[in-house]
Structure formats: C-alpha cells, structure tokens
Amino acid sequence: MVRVIVYSGLGICIILALYIHFNVQPDVPEVRESKTVKEESLSLQTPPAREAEISTIEQVQTESLSESTRTENVIEQPATVIPEHVLRWQAAVEKLKAGRYQEAAKDFQELTAHEPKAYFGLGFSYFQLKEEEKALDALQEGLKHGEDAQARKLIGTIYYRKDELEKAIEHWQKAVELDPKDSLTRRSLEKAKSEKKAQGDNYSRESTRHFTLFYDGYVQRDVSRLILHLLEDAYSYVGSSFNHFPSEALTVILYTKEDFYVTIKNPFWSRGVYDGKIRIPVGGVDEKADSLLKPVIFHEYTHALVHSITQRCPTWINEGLAMYFEGRPKPSVKKKIPLRYLEGSFMHLGHDAARIAYKQSYSATLYLIDRYGLSRIKDLLYAFSKGKSIDDAFRDALSISYEDFSAEWQRQDS
C-alpha cells in the first residue's frame, strides 16, 4: 500500500459502491473484520475531505510532503524581485515544472546574488535531484534572510527522511506556527511525535548498504535479520527488472501489530505501508515467517522504487506493479471499472471497496506489462516524473492514448 493524495474521490466512491452491489469480490489480504455490503455501500457515499491532483509522495512523504514540495508553493516569486531578473526567475520556475532540475538549480544559484528567496528555489531543485544535504544548506541559508513556512516544511521532510525525528518535529512545529491553517503539516507533525513516542528507548537499529531497519529489540530481534535479507532480495530483483537501483538508503520500521494500527492509523485491512519509509507490522519468527513476509516486503519495496522515479504515478499502476512483484496470481475480473476512477488514493476505502480497487488495478497493470514490458513502463514512469499528464505520458512512452489503452483493457477477457 502506498499513501497518495485523493483524486476524484467521489467518483471512485460511487463507482465502487455500484460494483459492491453486484457482489464483485477481488482478492486482498485477509482482515480481522468486514462490514456488510450494505454498510460498505453506504459508507462509500461519503467523499473524502479533500481532493487534489495525483501526487504520490512520497510519498511521500504523504499528503504533506506533496504539498511541501509542490513547485508553486516552494518558489512563489517574491515581490522584491527587480524587473531585470523577473524573466530569469520565471524561466527557472518553468525548468522546475518541466523536470529540468539541474538547469533550474543553476539559474536559482545565480539569482541568489540578487534575491535571497532564490535560495528556496535552489533548495527545492536540489531536493528533486536527491541531493538533500545541498538542499538543506540552501534552504537554511534562505531562512537567514527571513522565515518561510514552505522552507520549514521541506526541511522537516528531509530530516524526517533522515530519521532525525527531533529536528523534523522542530521545523514542522515552526511551519505550523507560521501557517496555522496548514492541516497537512499539522498531521505530519503529530505523526512524527507519535512515531518518536512509539519507538521509545527499546528500538534497535541495523543497517545494510541499502536499508536502515528500526525494530523493537525486545520483541523483534529474531525477525530483523530475515527482513534485511528479504529487503536486499527485493532491491536486487525489482531493481534488475527495471534496471533502476536507488542509491539512498531506505528506512524500514517494524511495529508490533498493535502499535502499527494505533500509531500509523492505517486501514485495518493493510499489511504494510510505504509513505517515504516502509512500515510493517510483524510478530516473531516461525516456520511461516518467510512466506508471509516476502510478499509484503516486495510489495512495499516496489512502491519505494516507483517513488524514487516519480511522485506522480497513478494509484492503479503503483498498486498493480506492487502486486506484480509480490507474486500475486492473475485475477479474474468480470466487470471492469474505468481506469479514471482508479487514479487516486485507496486509503479512504473500506474493505470490500479496497478489494475491488486492488483487483482491478492488478488486472490493468498485468495487461500493461504483457503488452509493453517493464522497460516501456519505466519510460512511462519517467514521463510522469517530468510532470506530463496521464494522457501525454501514455502517448509519449507507449504511443497510445490513455483512453485507447483503457478501452483495450476493458475488452480483454480476464
């Protein structure tokens, strides 16, 4: 599961309610409880509180990360820019929007000699280039010339990703003070505080070249080595399939099942989550541990890899790829939902609706893989990373319109 901003929430709620009415039952992990079909259909009528464009990220890292790294938020043109530099500023912003981050960084670097707020644009450019230390330096230099809520949010995000929770909390707290109406950052702040409290003094840490693992040393020491082994297997296998190997170490946190659902506040049907960090509820080691943990780890690591390429992947592709590398069998889908209704978050869905959304996503993604292969899908992800719309990305990477692809999938027997 990956957390994303909700897109077209009311539409997916209505469509999925109709499919539940016809008793379509896709496969998702077993859960502890389930509402009746009638109750689920009614609950789906309530739209999520917020709708926005597709953005994963990152995580990313959930909704607040997407907001804190949105181009227009971070690099709003200051009123003090002198006229002869206005065009240069606007050109730098356009390069950012087009994904030309190295060129944007160069422009903002030159503008810092004339406008201190250019440091924020420079920091954002470095963040997109995954040069987070340079991003921190630029953003903190900008703060020497005046406070900025967006810069504080981004600094907090970087520290959060570095597992420096105290510093993340400090900067997010300042961001909320500067912008009290920012509910997303407030939620991230509370989440970081809960995470810090949950980890407490008992948490141990182990690292490999590609992963940093945190776990309860009293409860989960026996399973930690197994999970690190499975994570490295996922890094190798999924990375080889895409010929893409993220260089930054990824944080993985193990929770007891109780702490996972209380602290992370995930839907009860979820087996794990990627929100910039992989979070998994686990117990002890037994003869079934490997077979139970491997699908979850491969699923969540796939989300991490996709996010390392783009923060704008439609949910049906993101979840479909994760299920593919998890090793799910081919689903049987009798009635198909238009893909437009599967582009946004599944997080607000109940059990039955989530089963449908996941199964439909997997069916469409398998068709995508069978027809174009993972290499072309990687091209599609890179097209998303450049800010292209879904329609333009499909045309550029796959030479087919999104509408035509969706129609072809709809006609296929599943």
Side-chain angles (χ1 to χ4, degrees), residues 132-284:
E132 294 190 348
E133 291 302 323
K134 288 184 177 180
L136 277 176
D137 289 344
L139 293 166
Q140 289 170 337
E141 182 65 30
L143 289 176
K144 293 179 182 179
H145 302 276
E147 278 293 352
D148 186 273
Q150 298 298 336
R152 291 285 185 179
K153 294 176 194 178
L154 189 51
I155 292 172
T157 295
I158 293 172
Y159 279 127
Y160 182 77
R161 289 169 56 144
K162 290 161 62 71
D163 305 305
E164 298 184 38
L165 293 180
E166 288 189 9
K167 291 182 179 180
I169 290 169
E170 174 189 347
H171 286 279
W172 279 340
Q173 182 67 58
K174 188 64 177 179
V176 169
E177 292 171 5
L178 292 169
D179 186 5
K181 295 182 180 180
D182 185 354
S183 60
L184 296 178
T185 301
R186 189 180 301 278
R187 281 158 49 190
S188 292
L189 174 62
E190 294 306 314
K191 178 181 175 183
K193 289 179 178 178
S194 296
E195 185 175 320
K196 187 174 183 297
K197 181 179 179 181
Q199 292 183 8
D201 298 326
N202 298 332
Y203 263 59
S204 299
R205 171 176 176 159
E206 293 187 40
S207 299
T208 65
R209 180 180 177 184
H210 305 118
F211 300 95
T212 300
L213 180 68
F214 291 89
Y215 60 94
D216 188 325
Y218 290 146
V219 178
Q220 298 159 328
R221 186 175 303 279
D222 291 341
V223 78
S224 63
R225 294 298 175 88
L226 170 61
I227 287 180
L228 282 172
H229 175 73
L230 291 172
L231 285 165
E232 289 292 343
D233 284 350
Y235 181 89
S236 176
Y237 181 72
V238 182
S240 296
S241 299
F242 279 107
N243 191 27
H244 179 79
F245 299 91
S247 58
E248 294 183 355
L250 178 64
T251 296
V252 182
I253 304 176
L254 308 185
Y255 296 86
T256 64
K257 291 184 178 180
E258 180 180 0
D259 283 345
F260 179 77
Y261 294 105
V262 171
T263 303
I264 308 304
K265 297 180 174 58
N266 258 26
F268 63 83
W269 45 261
S270 68
R271 299 178 300 168
V273 68
Y274 172 71
D275 61 359
K277 302 175 183 181
I278 293 177
R279 306 172 190 272
I280 303 172
V282 297

Side-chain angles (χ1 to χ4, degrees), residues 29-190:
E30 291 297 318
V31 295
R32 297 189 299 255
E33 60 180 337
S34 177
K35 299 179 182 179
T36 66
V37 171
K38 181 178 180 181
E39 290 172 333
E40 192 63 34
S41 298
L42 289 173
S43 67
L44 285 170
Q45 302 303 319
T46 304
R50 181 171 173 272
E51 295 183 2
E53 64 179 346
I54 301 168
S55 177
T56 57
I57 301 35
E58 305 313 202
Q59 99 226 154
V60 299
Q61 278 298 81
T62 53
E63 297 172 352
S64 61
L65 174 59
S66 297
E67 285 295 309
S68 66
T69 59
R70 197 182 297 276
T71 304
E72 58 269 27
N73 287 345
V74 179
I75 52 172
E76 179 182 356
Q77 179 177 309
T80 56
V81 173
I82 59 178
E84 54 263 39
H85 296 134
V86 169
L87 292 179
R88 186 68 176 274
W89 185 284
Q90 292 173 345
V93 172
E94 290 304 314
K95 289 173 183 177
L96 271 178
K97 291 180 178 178
R100 295 155 57 190
Y101 303 124
Q102 198 70 55
E103 296 175 43
K106 180 180 179 181
D107 285 353
F108 280 118
Q109 180 68 69
E110 294 177 1
L111 282 165
T112 58
H114 311 284
E115 172 50 58
K117 277 205 169 186
Y119 281 109
F120 299 140
L122 179 62
F124 178 70
S125 301
Y126 282 138
F127 180 82
Q128 295 294 345
L129 290 166
K130 298 180 173 59
E131 298 184 49
E132 294 190 348
E133 291 302 323
K134 288 184 177 180
L136 277 176
D137 289 344
L139 293 166
Q140 289 170 337
E141 182 65 30
L143 289 176
K144 293 179 182 179
H145 302 276
E147 278 293 352
D148 186 273
Q150 298 298 336
R152 291 285 185 179
K153 294 176 194 178
L154 189 51
I155 292 172
T157 295
I158 293 172
Y159 279 127
Y160 182 77
R161 289 169 56 144
K162 290 161 62 71
D163 305 305
E164 298 184 38
L165 293 180
E166 288 189 9
K167 291 182 179 180
I169 290 169
E170 174 189 347
H171 286 279
W172 279 340
Q173 182 67 58
K174 188 64 177 179
V176 169
E177 292 171 5
L178 292 169
D179 186 5
K181 295 182 180 180
D182 185 354
S183 60
L184 296 178
T185 301
R186 189 180 301 278
R187 281 158 49 190
S188 292
L189 174 62
E190 294 306 314

Side-chain angles (χ1 to χ4, degrees), residues 380-399:
L380 182 65
L381 297 178
Y382 274 112
F384 291 138
S385 74
K386 295 176 181 178
K388 293 184 181 294
S389 67
I390 298 178
D391 301 292
D392 289 343
F394 265 75
R395 288 190 181 92
D396 289 355
L398 307 179
S399 300

